[in-house]
Amino acid sequence: MSRRKSRIIAFQALYSWDASGESVENLLQFSWVDSKENLEQSDLAFSRIIIAGTIENISAIDEIIKNHLSANWNFDRLNKVTLAILRISVYSLMYQKDIAPSIVIDEAVDLSKEFGVSDSFKFINAMLDRISKEGK
């Protein structure tokens, strides 16, 4: 498995946590992941860090997202897919300083193209670019 797959799993976990209230403990057991036999422990560890870190810092992460929304956007208007992608990406930008912002943004754009609505990748790219340049 790659870090890309780890990020997909983290995105799916955050989406599930937000949409259904799935417990963090259940999410971190990965029993919900298909083809679990293809998962390496190091990749699961990377997913766990993103999932647990994002949820642990959710208030700060959401505040950063809110502060970077344009005046005509309301946080509550963000669809859950976009929000999950933004949350794991903001976590990485703010707390995983060993990962280049360009990698975090590229991965978020790719996730958005694969799982998001038509052109949500443009919105996500612009938001994360602003956040990474301001450092918050």
Side-chain angles (χ1 to χ4, degrees):
M1 188 162 92
S2 66
R3 282 202 165 182
R4 172 157 170 67
K5 182 66 177 164
S6 297
R7 285 186 182 93
I8 290 171
I9 290 172
F11 150 71
Q12 291 170 331
L14 260 288
Y15 177 86
S16 179
W17 175 79
D18 192 33
S20 70
E22 184 70 40
S23 75
V24 177
E25 295 78 21
N26 285 344
L27 292 173
L28 296 178
Q29 290 177 15
F30 302 110
S31 60
W32 50 274
V33 175
D34 292 335
S35 65
K36 197 170 175 182
E37 67 276 356
N38 295 330
L39 303 177
E40 295 180 26
Q41 288 305 310
S42 61
D43 296 321
L44 288 177
F46 187 67
S47 292
R48 273 190 192 94
I49 289 167
I50 296 172
I51 295 163
T54 301
I55 292 171
E56 182 178 312
N57 295 287
I58 199 72
S59 295
I61 290 167
D62 285 354
E63 193 61 33
I64 291 168
I65 294 169
K66 289 174 187 175
N67 289 338
H68 287 85
L69 288 171
S70 59
N72 61 339
W73 269 95
N74 184 312
F75 182 81
D76 297 327
R77 273 185 59 200
L78 294 173
N79 72 49
K80 293 196 182 303
V81 169
T82 298
L83 185 57
I85 294 169
L86 284 172
R87 283 173 164 167
I88 67 167
S89 301
V90 170
Y91 170 77
S92 291
L93 288 172
M94 297 297 102
Y95 300 100
Q96 294 181 308
K97 299 293 187 181
D98 59 322
I99 302 172
S102 60
I103 292 172
V104 173
I105 294 169
D106 286 348
E107 288 288 338
V109 167
D110 287 346
L111 283 173
S112 181
K113 286 179 179 178
E114 186 171 345
F115 298 100
V117 294
S118 62
D119 61 351
S120 63
F121 71 92
K122 294 176 185 176
F123 173 78
I124 287 173
N125 184 54
M127 283 280 294
L128 294 176
D129 187 55
R130 283 195 310 270
I131 291 168
S132 72
K133 286 179 179 170
E134 293 179 19
K136 275 199 167 183

